[in-house]
Amino acid sequence: MFQSIRVGGTGRDTLVVGYFQGQAFDTATAKLLKQVDPSGAAAGALKRPESTGEAGAIAEAFGAGKGDSTRILVVGLGKPEALDTDAVRTLAGTIGRKLAAVKATGVQLALTACFEKAGLDLADAGQAFGEGLGLLAWVCDEFKGTAAKKTNRVKLSIRAGEGEFDGAMARGVDLAESANFTRTLSQTPPNVATTGFIADMARKLARKTGLSCKVLEGDDLVREKLIGLINVGKASENKPCLIRLEYRPRGSGNKKPAVLVGKTVTYDTGGLSLKINNGMVGMKRDKDGGCAVLGAMHAIATVIKPRRPVVALLAVAENSISDEAYRPDDVLRYRNGVTVEVTNTDAEGRLVLADALCWACDKEKPAYIIDLATLTGGVVVALGSTFAGMFCEHDGLRAKVEAASKATGERVWRLPMHAEYRELMKSPIADILNSNPNRKAHPIQGAAFLSYFVDEKVPWCHLDIAGVHATEKSAGCFIEGPTGWGARLLANLLENDTGR
Ligand code: BES
Ligand code: MN
Ligand code: ZN
């Protein structure tokens, strides 16, 4: 959408003013317009039928003040009581689309008076606005070739002129960049984004941002009994690995880390329980849990810099088929002693996540664990693309996740956990099976399975993001494709974690 976004600048070809539905311009806006728009073009635009006042309704006017002809976007803000940070983020997307369409390069925002009137904190509003613009700006044309038309994108500079808002807006743009990193990885096709490619990206990220990075592969996996990764990844020439990234701030001593775990299946064919009827298309995005964790680590290392150490664990494998593939009926013995009867090789995510969860409890002394995974089609049936499924029985951790969810607009909905669901996963042959064929409570089965690999004393939250990691429609600050879901939520959560 834009080639770049810079907060600041002095040039101005476009002025953005706002008004609440059914209301006139507030006094601050009216005063400003008197100077820059003496002919009253904006007031005229406010009377036109397109100025419905609904959030994101935009009418254009051309002022002729102080010599330069200025484009004025007169933007409806909806009702003040509905204008929260999430609405600001979406509004930024809508305004950004218009700015890109008219190829604006220097923009003056005159919205802060309205934001304050709606009771918004200017720093929160500024950050949300920056995030919205930054998310909208995401482009991934790396895979376009000579048959595609090159689009000329403009460099946008934008400011409100209020330090607090502008500083926060710049921060929001930076946070969006972390989420956009997640989206670009998600978009990268499976013949490029192989398991080795993901490991390289993690190493590169670490080098660039000062994280430490270790990749366990080959014999390391055998030695560490990472049996899920070994088996799920067996049939592919792209070998599985466990990636461990660590952020450790100075002076954090023996503070326990937050552990972020991501399902990173670079392609999910279903394995021998092969996906049929187009069910495979799009499964390049089965790595999005891990990609979100990488985006979060980017934000943590470059923007958030929390006081608590953070460990990221990516369980990376390609679920493919060959004569070496793991099979339905195989029994796997995990490093915590739990044995698993494989009933369906397409329930592979939980098998690789189990390794990472065991490892985390065993080796990392975690303060808490949050895992993100495109785990089940069932969660898409249940919640669509509106909420991620959240499983968390620890009140304190759940409150943290819900607060981060509210702040970032990445919505979560709690789903239940109960002994009966764990019962559902019992196997007549091994301890548990990886999928109960009766298809009851599918997303919950996934969580119930994972619970066998988490120490009861460790606060744990499982987020099933299969419905929210990508979108089919272009709306608000997103275009069709990956959303980067989770990168901002995890970053925000760590920002507000005092680390005690
Ligand atoms: N990666 C899929 C889940 C998925 C589905 C993600 C749709 C994104 C969109 C997962 O590995 C899977 O295949 N799940 C199966 C589990 C079943 C075989 C127990 C499912 O949900 O159908
Ligand atoms: Mn699968
Ligand atoms: Zn999968």
Side-chain angles (χ1 to χ4, degrees), residues 1-4 103 137 139 141 151-155:
M1 209 71 75
F2 310 107
Q3 198 185 320
S4 60
K103 299 203 179 296
V139 270
D141 51 13
T151 41
N152 275 335
R153 287 188 294 269
V154 299
K155 292 183 180 171

Side-chain angles (χ1 to χ4, degrees), residues 263 265 268 270 273 275 279 282-283 285-286 319 344-350 374-380 434-436 439 442 445 464-467 469:
K263 169 179 174 181
V265 172
D268 183 11
S273 315
K275 288 189 182 291
M283 282 302 147
R285 299 202 201 286
D286 212 17
N319 189 20
N344 190 325
T345 62
D346 198 11
E348 84 297 340
R350 59 200 72 180
T374 48
L375 205 69
T376 68
V379 86
V380 193
N434 75 330
S435 173
N436 188 316
R439 291 197 70 84
H442 240 178
Q445 281 195 32
D464 192 336
I465 63 167
H469 64 130

Side-chain angles (χ1 to χ4, degrees), residues 60-116:
E60 239 173 320
F62 291 90
K66 292 204 175 144
D68 62 342
S69 153
T70 300
R71 184 191 306 272
I72 305 174
L73 301 184
V74 179
V75 181
L77 303 174
K79 302 261 185 232
E81 58 275 17
L83 191 64
D84 55 13
T85 50
D86 203 28
V88 169
R89 200 177 289 110
T90 304
L91 189 70
T94 312
I95 293 172
R97 280 170 204 270
K98 183 72 184 173
L99 293 174
V102 303
K103 299 203 179 296
T105 56
V107 177
Q108 165 85 44
L109 285 179
L111 299 172
T112 48
C114 289
F115 289 162
E116 277 181 318

